[in-house]
Amino acid sequence: MKLAVDLHIHTALSPCADDDMTPCNIANMAALKGLDAIAATDHNCCFNARAVAQCARDAGVVFIPGIEVTTSEETHMLVYFEEIEAAEVFGNMIYESLPDIPLKDGLFGSQLIINEKDTVTGKAEKLLAQAAPYTVKLLQQEAKRCGGLMIPAHINRQAYSILETLGFIPEDLELTTVEIRRNMPLPEVYRRWYNTISSSDAHMLFQILEREEFIEAEERTAKGILNALSEKWER
């Protein structure tokens, strides 16, 4: 079946996201725009994933827990999970590995931890806008160990992309899917080698996609979508 998705959305937990990127606001905006599935992918942790999952269920939207990790090479990598529990284990591991640099008010966003009723319950104390001590290769190994699927984020963007930082995609990563920016150039070879998916990377509510990005999946579930991303698509 053909599913409309947006698999790269930041909540107010991410230091670069607006404070109105709350779990309920995100889920309801996704439903309003007719999306079948969304993923919350905050930077270097997933403290809001459980709340977004509940709000998404209430709104009738499939939810995929995820995280956007900044590797030691300063490359952004998306990691997705079928289950919240696995995402939280992986997310806590990444967060605990971050250097003990505290968030300084006024320099970055608020890094808000918010529950399913959109009530702020705390803040992430460590600065999330920094690199974790994992190389791309090691991160993929840890992601697989925890049951996650790693996808390089916005590979054709000039900042924090694997093509910008490494200059190439290592073949031993054994990737099936990469995320791209639609409005930026991409060598055709990457479309031949990998599945490509485009997401909003939304940091503000209006940036969440309309029904414009689709995945062919066997079922309308997180498992169905991740299975589709794990296999080479027929074009």
Side-chain angles (χ1 to χ4, degrees), residues 115-209:
N115 67 18
E116 70 279 1
K117 296 181 180 179
D118 277 2
T119 300
V120 176
T121 61
K123 294 184 178 182
E125 298 298 330
K126 290 184 179 182
L127 177 64
L128 299 178
Q130 57 177 321
Y134 291 88
T135 64
V136 171
K137 181 63 176 179
L138 180 57
L139 183 71
Q140 186 181 54
Q141 292 173 354
E142 290 299 315
K144 286 183 176 180
R145 183 180 63 82
C146 293
L149 172 67
M150 189 180 81
I151 294 176
H154 41 64
I155 67 167
N156 54 336
R157 201 178 77 172
Q158 292 184 339
Y160 299 109
S161 72
I162 194 167
L163 294 183
E164 189 269 340
T165 57
L166 300 185
F168 66 104
I169 299 178
E171 292 184 9
D172 62 353
L173 290 180
E174 299 179 352
L175 300 167
T176 55
T177 301
V178 296
E179 184 194 59
I180 65 170
R181 285 289 179 87
R182 285 183 176 177
N183 59 344
M184 294 181 179
L186 176 72
E188 186 60 31
V189 65
Y190 293 109
R191 297 185 187 274
R192 296 198 302 268
W193 289 349
Y194 305 105
N195 304 325
T196 58
I197 187 168
S198 180
S199 301
S200 67
D201 194 5
H203 292 73
M204 294 177 278
L205 283 172
F206 77 89
Q207 295 174 331
I208 294 174
L209 292 184

Side-chain angles (χ1 to χ4, degrees), residues 79-107:
V79 184
Y80 299 106
F81 296 85
E82 183 181 343
E83 303 292 342
I84 289 286
E85 293 78 10
E88 289 177 334
V89 168
F90 183 80
N92 289 341
M93 179 190 74
I94 297 299
Y95 181 77
E96 292 301 322
S97 76
L98 294 176
D100 289 322
I101 300 175
L103 172 69
K104 292 185 178 180
D105 292 337
L107 293 181

Side-chain angles (χ1 to χ4, degrees), residues 43-90:
H43 288 290
N44 291 326
C45 67
C46 55
F47 299 149
N48 285 346
R50 191 171 290 270
V52 182
Q54 181 60 58
C55 294
R57 282 194 294 268
D58 293 344
V61 177
V62 174
F63 178 72
I64 300 172
I67 181 173
E68 185 174 22
V69 181
T70 303
T71 70
S72 58
E73 302 99 339
E74 297 285 345
T75 295
H76 285 181
M77 308 298 288
L78 298 164
V79 184
Y80 299 106
F81 296 85
E82 183 181 343
E83 303 292 342
I84 289 286
E85 293 78 10
E88 289 177 334
V89 168
F90 183 80

